Amino acid sequence: MARKPMMAANWKMNKTVREAREYTAALLPRVADAEGVDVAVFTPFTSLSEVARMVEDSSVIVGAQNFYFEDSGAFTGEVSASMLQDIGAKAVIVGHSERREVFGEDDEMVARKAARAVEAGLLPVVCIGETKEERDSGGMWDKVSGQVRRVMQEMDDGVDGEKVVFAYEPIWAIGTGDTASPEDAQDAIGKIRGLLAEVRDQDFADAVRILYGGSMKPDNVADIMAQEDVDGGLVGGASLEVESFEKLISAAAEDDS
Ligand code: PGA
């Protein structure tokens, strides 16, 4: 089954509204003809409405980097799915390792956020991945499979695979320049797809997109994209400049694996 690749920019805590506007203005003409790939930009909350307004007539998907699963109420500092949709967000990153590690989000919270995003009609990009210690001690699959199982436990049975995106992001590869080898990325992502077939069904596993994240760059993107189960990238550092993000988008569009 052919899955449409996705190339997603995770700006993290970067860019003022003005910088976001300049970036988006430069990106739009470059992706106008990008066919066969979904381009997504995950902005800080502060620039989301501006970017959403600018991309309205394009195919660019704009999203937030986090939200809370309740819809309203006494949750100081939080933003709900409906608030994000109100300003034009179509997608949201859920459970990024920086949220898990710096802000203490656990598997249950991540799972509830993923399920709520789907229910609200936002496309969640659910992040999973192991630390260096876990990989070195042979605990990588325990960690990653546990994260995936917990997310699927919370997800309604009727949810289609197209409504969910996973991002396998080994924590030791994020922002370090230390990318997983294409074979390691394929190995992990292939196993995640197999697990999804087991805990849900083959249709779900065939339709769900699984991205790789962790120091993806113009010089390694083609080899990673060439892996059969890798459906795209979630990119931090190399997405901050339009020039390099455009190279990643082109590589994803050209990939036919
Ligand atoms: P990186 O970040 O590309 O800078 O490694 C990826 C991510 O954290 O999503």
Side-chain angles (χ1 to χ4, degrees), residues 133-142:
E133 296 71 52
E134 287 160 344
R135 174 162 282 254
D136 290 348
S137 66
M140 172 269 187
W141 184 239
D142 262 4

Side-chain angles (χ1 to χ4, degrees), residues 10 12 96-98 169 173-177 213-216 234-238:
N10 175 11
K12 309 194 179 185
H96 191 280
S97 62
E98 287 147 19
E169 299 206 304
I174 295 178
T176 57
S215 300
M216 189 180 252
L234 179 60
V235 190

Side-chain angles (χ1 to χ4, degrees), residues 159-174:
V159 170
D160 288 341
E162 295 93 51
K163 304 282 191 226
V164 188
V165 175
F166 281 94
Y168 169 64
E169 299 206 304
I171 297 171
W172 46 272
I174 295 178

Side-chain angles (χ1 to χ4, degrees), residues 1-60:
M1 167 168 192
R3 291 175 296 270
K4 191 174 185 186
M6 169 178 276
M7 197 48 72
N10 175 11
W11 289 357
K12 309 194 179 185
M13 197 170 71
N14 290 292
K15 298 191 189 298
T16 61
V17 174
R18 182 193 166 142
E19 288 162 349
R21 198 182 291 133
E22 285 166 6
Y23 179 105
T24 308
L27 179 68
L28 279 173
R30 295 170 191 241
V31 297
D33 304 324
E35 271 174 31
V37 54
D38 278 342
V39 177
V41 181
F42 292 92
T43 78
F45 293 131
T46 45
S47 40
L48 209 160
S49 59
E50 179 68 1
V51 175
R53 189 187 59 73
M54 291 178 76
V55 304
E56 209 167 25
D57 297 326
S58 78
S59 56
V60 174

Side-chain angles (χ1 to χ4, degrees), residues 1-255:
M1 167 168 192
R3 291 175 296 270
K4 191 174 185 186
M6 169 178 276
M7 197 48 72
N10 175 11
W11 289 357
K12 309 194 179 185
M13 197 170 71
N14 290 292
K15 298 191 189 298
T16 61
V17 174
R18 182 193 166 142
E19 288 162 349
R21 198 182 291 133
E22 285 166 6
Y23 179 105
T24 308
L27 179 68
L28 279 173
R30 295 170 191 241
V31 297
D33 304 324
E35 271 174 31
V37 54
D38 278 342
V39 177
V41 181
F42 292 92
T43 78
F45 293 131
T46 45
S47 40
L48 209 160
S49 59
E50 179 68 1
V51 175
R53 189 187 59 73
M54 291 178 76
V55 304
E56 209 167 25
D57 297 326
S58 78
S59 56
V60 174
I61 298 166
V62 65
Q65 300 167 14
N66 181 35
F67 81 113
Y68 192 55
F69 54 73
E70 296 289 355
D71 217 44
S72 63
F75 303 104
T76 302
E78 293 297 327
V79 169
S80 70
S82 55
M83 289 171 181
L84 291 178
Q85 288 170 308
D86 185 44
I87 57 167
K90 307 281 185 236
V92 65
I93 296 175
V94 172
H96 191 280
S97 62
E98 287 147 19
R99 299 286 331 155
R100 295 175 187 260
E101 299 215 316
V102 186
F103 301 99
E105 293 194 16
D106 60 12
D107 284 352
E108 184 191 342
M109 174 163 301
V110 172
R112 292 185 70 179
K113 288 184 178 192
R116 173 65 194 138
V118 172
E119 185 191 56
L122 282 170
L123 180 70
V125 176
V126 186
C127 301
I128 52 191
E130 81 287 359
T131 64
K132 181 98 183 84
E133 296 71 52
E134 287 160 344
R135 174 162 282 254
D136 290 348
S137 66
M140 172 269 187
W141 184 239
D142 262 4
K143 170 77 172 289
V144 171
S145 61
Q147 291 176 323
V148 172
R149 283 180 192 276
R150 188 67 191 83
V151 168
M152 294 312 295
Q153 203 180 317
E154 207 70 34
M155 195 76 67
D156 274 354
D157 277 350
V159 170
D160 288 341
E162 295 93 51
K163 304 282 191 226
V164 188
V165 175
F166 281 94
Y168 169 64
E169 299 206 304
I171 297 171
W172 46 272
I174 295 178
T176 57
D178 199 6
T179 321
S181 68
E183 294 73 27
D184 283 346
Q186 166 59 33
D187 181 58
I189 291 177
K191 276 161 91 172
I192 294 165
R193 201 178 300 287
L195 176 63
L196 291 169
E198 183 192 317
V199 299
R200 189 55 54 109
D201 57 42
Q202 195 62 47
D203 282 353
F204 185 96
D206 285 342
V208 75
R209 286 179 290 183
I210 310 178
L211 315 181
Y212 167 79
S215 300
M216 189 180 252
K217 293 191 254 347
D219 65 4
N220 61 30
V221 61
D223 288 346
I224 297 174
M225 283 302 306
Q227 305 301 313
E228 189 186 336
D229 282 293
V230 178
D231 300 318
L234 179 60
V235 190
S239 77
L240 291 174
E241 300 294 333
V242 173
E243 288 67 27
S244 67
F245 188 43
E246 184 192 9
K247 291 192 181 126
L248 303 179
I249 295 167
S250 308
E254 280 158 23
D255 181 66

